[in-house]
């Protein structure tokens, strides 16, 4: 599908408040790319919070748009399954000739066992060790930024920092770390939208990824267990016998989980502070606000717009009859601005009460495994930014990604004014 096709553009020209409810299709990547999705969700939350769309790029689906309903569905994994055999966790079913099992797309008990295999990466000792590395690397990346000239924050900061972190989590060869970014982008990209041209190309590149990671597996499976994700999988009972496609699936889960999400929170946070300059002012006056601001940025950005479940049997929910086999899409991006739970949700409010009350990390047994690490990385990045620079200026609207899943940016042009650079201030 061409991301700029006439049909897509037509959809952009519609009046969201005039469309009949049954014509609303929030699963249109172009609405996300143009940041035009909000009025549609507003209508669905108000008029049809459990909404059926019988069109849809990937087929018919239900949209769940209110915070409390998303939590209820996530809590009921027996009826609303994540299992890849029903289609998995995104609107698009997995390709039948290239099924990648992974624990985010499994139900208990397999899910719980495999998750437990890698969970130690987030324990206290791991995080303490990672904190030192993350801070040192953040300093290096920030110290090298140009002053008083425009540059792309996505490439220079967000991608660089998250890729470095991923390389550390996998103990991945440092010089090849850009491959991780590529594989992450390839696995979530829509063919024809700028990253890959076809599903065939995706397969070829992901099989290269598998080959690369198999070499690392073979090195580690016979060596003593270490504190990296590959070694943990190679030594845990639940994962050591996994087949190659399952190994690739779990690797991609960890790559995408740790990459796009944090990357887009780092970019989205800076963009949001520029959109709400009073909030930026409060932050510059009081760096102690960082720990409260970080979860608020993650809510505001909602880096993964949705997760999908599939009904395992007929089920009545909020007066609607959901049938066995139906796709049910949980729109975190809408739940996160549902005013029944979050007041004035489209605004970034860095002193918000209970800022962790949001859906960006999901809920229930699949709740994000990397939450504490994401929080840690963002906190360190902001502490280091604030100890160097004043207000970093966003010079133009960002370029957004053409996707209904990854809600993020491909470019954000910014400038660090000379007076805002601690290095120049010190010289002055
Ligand atoms: C701001 C950053 C992040 C956001 C917004 C985010 C978001 C999410 C969401 C929405 C889910 C699914 C939850 C559900 O279905 O209920 C998830 C699961 C997951 N995330 Fe994250 N994530 C982030 C960072 C990370 C990091 C740094 C990692 C580390 C590698 C990670 C690894 C995972 C894994 C492995 C799962 C699957 C958990 C399971 O199925 O039990 N995430 N994340």
């Amino acid at each position: 599908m061409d991301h700029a096709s006439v049909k897509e553009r037509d959809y952009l020209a519609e009046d969201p408040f005039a469309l009949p409810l049954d014509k609303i299709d929030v699963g249109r990547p172009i609405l996300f790319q143009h940041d035009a999705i909000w009025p549609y969700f507003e209508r669905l939350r108000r008029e049809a919070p459990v909404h059926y769309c019988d069109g849809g790029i990937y087929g018919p689906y239900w949209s769940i748009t209110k915070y409390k309903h998303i939590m209820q569905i996530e809590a009921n994994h027996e009826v609303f399954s994540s299992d890849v055999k029903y289609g998995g966790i995104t609107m698009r079913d997995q390709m039948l000739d290239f099924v990648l099992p992974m624990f985010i797309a499994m139900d208990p008990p397999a899910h719980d066992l495999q998750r437990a295999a890698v969970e130690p990466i987030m324990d206290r000792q791991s995080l303490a060790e990672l904190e030192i590395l993350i801070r040192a690397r953040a300093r290096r990346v920030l110290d090298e930024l140009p002053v008083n000239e425009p540059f792309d924050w996505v490439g220079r900061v967000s991608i660089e920092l998250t890729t470095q972190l991923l390389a550390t989590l996998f103990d991945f060869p440092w010089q090849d770390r850009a491959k991780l970014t590529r594989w992450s982008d390839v696995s979530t990209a829509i063919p024809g939208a700028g990253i890959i041209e076809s599903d065939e190309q995706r397969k070829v590149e992901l099989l290269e990824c598998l080959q690369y990671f198999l070499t690392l597996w073979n090195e580690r499976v016979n060596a003593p267990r270490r504190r990296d994700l590959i070694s943990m999988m190679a030594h845990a009972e639940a994962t050591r016998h996994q087949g190659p496609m399952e190994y690739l699936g779990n690797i991609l889960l960890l790559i995408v989980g740790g990459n796009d999400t944090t990357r887009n929170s780092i970019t989205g946070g800076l963009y949001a502070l520029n959109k709400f300059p009073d909030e930026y002012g409060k932050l510059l006056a009081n760096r102690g606000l960082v720990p409260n601001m970080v979860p608020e940025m993650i809510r505001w950005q909602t880096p993964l717009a949705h997760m999908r479940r599939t009904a395992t049997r007929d089920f009545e929910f909020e007066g609607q009859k959901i049938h066995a086999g139906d796709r049910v899409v949980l729109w975190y991006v809408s739940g996160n601005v549902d005013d029944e739970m979050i007041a004035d949700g489209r605004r970034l409010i860095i002193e918000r009460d209970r800022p962790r009350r949001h859906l960006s990390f999901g809920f229930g047994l699949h709740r994000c495994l990397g939450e504490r690490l994401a929080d840690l990385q963002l906190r360190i990045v902001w502490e280091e930014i604030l100890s160097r620079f004043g207000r970093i200026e966003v010079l133009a609207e960002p370029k957004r990604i053409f996707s209904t899943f990854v809600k993020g940016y491909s470019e954000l042009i910014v400038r660090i004014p000379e007076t805002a650079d601690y290095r120049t201030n010190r010289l002055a």
Side-chain angles (χ1 to χ4, degrees):
M1 191 200 53
D2 174 5
H3 68 295
S5 70
V6 174
K7 201 162 162 253
E8 286 294 309
R9 297 227 167 263
D10 281 355
Y11 205 83
L12 203 57
E14 296 284 359
D15 174 358
F17 292 102
L19 264 184
L21 270 180
D22 64 351
K23 292 281 177 288
I24 290 185
D25 176 5
V26 282
R28 296 271 159 187
I30 200 154
L31 294 176
F32 286 81
Q33 190 182 37
H34 288 256
D35 203 28
I37 194 69
W38 305 103
Y40 292 93
F41 281 133
E42 196 186 313
R43 262 196 89 189
L44 291 192
R45 281 196 305 277
R46 204 173 47 227
E47 296 174 39
V50 179
H51 172 261
Y52 191 66
C53 170
D54 66 3
I57 297 172
Y58 305 119
Y61 64 97
W62 292 92
S63 280
I64 311 294
T65 47
K66 286 194 69 69
Y67 193 111
K68 62 181 179 198
H69 297 154
I70 293 172
M71 286 178 72
Q72 285 163 7
I73 301 242
E74 289 232 41
N76 190 352
H77 62 86
E78 277 157 13
V79 174
F80 297 104
S81 166
S82 301
D83 202 309
V84 69
K85 73 175 180 237
Y86 302 114
I89 47 107
T90 57
M91 291 180 84
R92 183 182 192 188
D93 290 346
Q94 282 225 3
M95 288 181 283
L96 288 177
D97 61 339
F98 198 67
V99 174
L100 295 172
M102 54 181 84
F103 67 83
I104 197 172
M106 290 178 192
D107 295 327
H111 160 269
D112 307 8
L113 298 170
Q114 292 206 353
R115 176 174 168 127
V118 288
E119 223 156 14
I121 196 87
M122 302 297 160
D123 69 18
R124 199 186 287 261
Q125 189 190 335
S126 249
L127 291 180
E129 286 168 13
L130 286 168
E131 171 153 11
I132 296 167
L133 276 173
I134 295 173
R135 194 175 295 281
R137 288 177 181 161
R139 286 179 176 160
R140 211 171 307 140
V141 167
L142 296 173
D143 279 343
E144 284 168 6
L145 293 178
V147 172
N148 233 356
E149 67 183 67
F151 68 92
D152 177 18
W153 183 259
V154 174
R156 292 288 299 256
V157 181
S158 310
I159 292 185
E160 192 48 37
L161 286 177
T162 40
T163 306
Q164 291 186 359
L165 177 60
L166 268 183
T168 309
L169 296 180
F170 287 114
D171 196 7
F172 190 87
W174 193 246
Q175 70 286 0
D176 281 347
R177 65 188 186 282
K179 288 181 189 293
L180 295 169
T181 318
R182 174 72 193 165
W183 291 325
S184 175
D185 290 345
V186 165
S187 64
T188 56
I190 295 176
I195 292 179
I196 48 167
E197 288 313 312
S198 64
D199 282 327
E200 206 39 52
Q201 183 188 350
R202 187 197 324 268
K203 261 191 248 174
V204 171
E205 291 204 36
L206 294 185
L207 288 174
E208 283 165 18
C209 170
L210 173 60
Q211 280 314 317
Y212 198 109
F213 272 93
L214 278 174
T215 310
L216 300 179
W217 175 281
N218 291 337
E219 276 167 27
R220 298 194 195 166
V221 72
N222 297 316
R225 182 181 180 280
R226 296 204 312 251
R227 300 182 69 82
D228 66 79
L229 288 167
I230 303 172
S231 185
M232 282 177 186
M233 279 197 272
H235 288 271
E237 199 43 42
T239 40
R240 65 178 302 149
H241 307 294
Q242 59 190 335
M245 294 312 270
E246 189 163 333
Y247 176 47
L248 177 59
N250 278 327
I251 290 291
L252 291 176
L253 162 60
L254 294 161
I255 293 181
V256 176
N259 190 40
D260 279 321
T261 50
T262 326
R263 177 204 301 184
N264 288 315
S265 305
I266 296 175
T267 309
L270 179 58
Y271 173 54
L273 284 174
N274 271 264
K275 256 178 112 70
F276 302 102
D278 293 352
E279 299 297 302
Y280 211 160
K282 283 186 209 160
L283 176 66
L284 291 171
N286 178 7
R287 293 178 198 182
L289 293 174
V290 169
N292 206 78
M293 172 184 77
V294 163
E296 168 67 354
M297 281 178 166
I298 294 173
R299 179 199 66 81
W300 186 87
Q301 179 55 34
T302 317
L304 295 180
H306 76 264
M307 285 283 159
R308 165 248 176 115
R309 302 290 184 261
T310 311
T312 55
R313 60 176 169 86
D314 293 356
F315 192 76
E316 188 160 327
F317 186 70
E318 292 296 308
Q320 301 292 336
K321 288 199 170 59
I322 298 179
H323 292 106
D326 284 357
R327 282 189 187 86
V328 179
V329 179
L330 312 172
W331 291 107
Y332 300 138
V333 61
S334 168
N336 267 347
V337 296
D338 178 358
D339 56 14
E340 214 174 89
M341 287 300 283
I342 293 161
D344 215 357
R346 296 282 311 283
R347 285 184 62 81
L348 179 88
I349 301 177
I350 68 174
E351 290 170 297
R352 196 180 277 284
D353 269 354
R354 303 182 62 192
R356 288 180 194 281
R357 192 166 71 163
H358 64 69
L359 292 169
S360 295
F361 291 119
F363 178 74
L365 59 98
H366 288 283
R367 189 181 168 90
C368 179
L369 175 113
E371 176 178 350
R372 278 186 298 159
L373 182 57
D375 203 80
L376 178 70
Q377 178 160 37
L378 282 156
R379 181 170 60 70
I380 293 173
V381 169
W382 276 102
E383 283 168 3
E384 294 299 326
I385 291 174
L386 291 169
S387 70
R388 280 164 178 68
F389 312 123
R391 206 176 281 261
I392 303 175
E393 298 168 356
V394 167
L395 299 182
E397 276 297 292
K399 288 196 180 133
R400 293 185 171 79
I401 291 170
F402 183 74
S403 169
T404 59
F405 185 62
V406 174
K407 184 170 158 292
Y409 313 91
S410 54
E411 186 183 280
L412 181 73
I413 303 298
V414 305
R415 183 178 54 204
I416 301 174
E418 203 156 349
T419 51
D421 176 7
Y422 84 111
R423 294 164 297 193
T424 11
N425 287 345
R426 269 210 308 228
L427 285 174

